[in-house]
Structures are given as C-alpha cells and as structure tokens.
C-alpha cells in the first residue's frame, strides 16, 4: 500500500480507506495543483484527489457500489474538505493501471 500524497487530508483519506476496506493497493494522489484558482479550490492545496484502490471488498461489485463504499469510508471528508475525488477501484486480479 502506498499513499502518494503526504499532506494531512491525503493522510486521512489513506487512513480511512485502509481501516474500512483493507486495500492491497492504495494510491492517494493530490491533483489540487491542477485545479488552482478553479471552483472548489479552497487554497489549502488539498481539495482534489485521485484514489487508486484495490480491495477484496470490491469483488463482484459494480462500479457504482465500489464508489459508494469509498465515499462511505471517507464520510464527512466528502461533505466539505474534499471538493473532487476520482476513484479507480478494482478487486484483486482485475486489470487496472496504477498511477505512473
């Protein structure tokens, strides 16, 4: 498991996903710099993220259910702290690209 970003929000995202979904792969990528000055940019430098996650909890689940599981694990972070979250969720053994 890897958390690609180390700011407090990225660290909290990684901790919550780890606790809820026991991922075998986890990358939390801070995309906020790409959105500086745009709507949702709160100036913190931690408002836009991509999560790449692999977990057995996703086996047999639809994309929608996987996204709901991630959003539920993040809870209140999604209500204000995180403005945008791209989710790439897969089960072990499924093909999917890790971030470069």
């Amino acid at each position: 498991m890897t958390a690609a970003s180390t700011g407090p929000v990225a660290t909290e995202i990684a901790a919550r996903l780890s606790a809820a979904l026991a991922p075998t792969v986890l990358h939390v990528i801070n995309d906020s710099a790409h959105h500086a000055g745009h709507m949702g940019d709160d100036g913190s430098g931690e408002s836009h993220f991509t999560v790449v996650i692999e977990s057995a909890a996703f086996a047999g689940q639809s994309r929608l259910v996987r996204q709901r599981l991630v959003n539920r694990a993040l809870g209140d972070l999604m209500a204000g702290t995180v403005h945008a979250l791209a989710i790439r969720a897969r089960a072990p053994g499924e093909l999917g690209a890790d971030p470069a």
Side-chain angles (χ1 to χ4, degrees), residues 1-2 7 12 15 19-20 22 29 33 38 42 45 47 50 64 66-67 73 75 83-85 87 89-90:
M1 177 181 67
T2 303
E12 184 65 18
I29 303 155
H38 296 172
D42 63 3
S47 57
T50 296
L64 178 61
R66 294 172 186 199
Q67 290 183 355
H83 175 73
L85 181 69
I87 301 169
R90 66 177 185 255

Side-chain angles (χ1 to χ4, degrees), residues 5-59:
S5 297
T6 57
V9 176
T11 300
E12 184 65 18
I13 290 171
R16 289 184 185 199
L17 292 176
S18 293
L21 299 170
T24 52
V25 173
L26 177 59
H27 301 283
V28 179
I29 303 155
N30 186 343
D31 297 322
S32 301
H34 301 295
H35 301 278
H38 296 172
M39 179 180 270
D41 174 30
D42 63 3
S44 71
E46 286 195 283
S47 57
H48 295 69
F49 292 91
T50 296
V51 168
V52 178
I53 183 169
E54 177 183 282
S55 172
F58 300 140

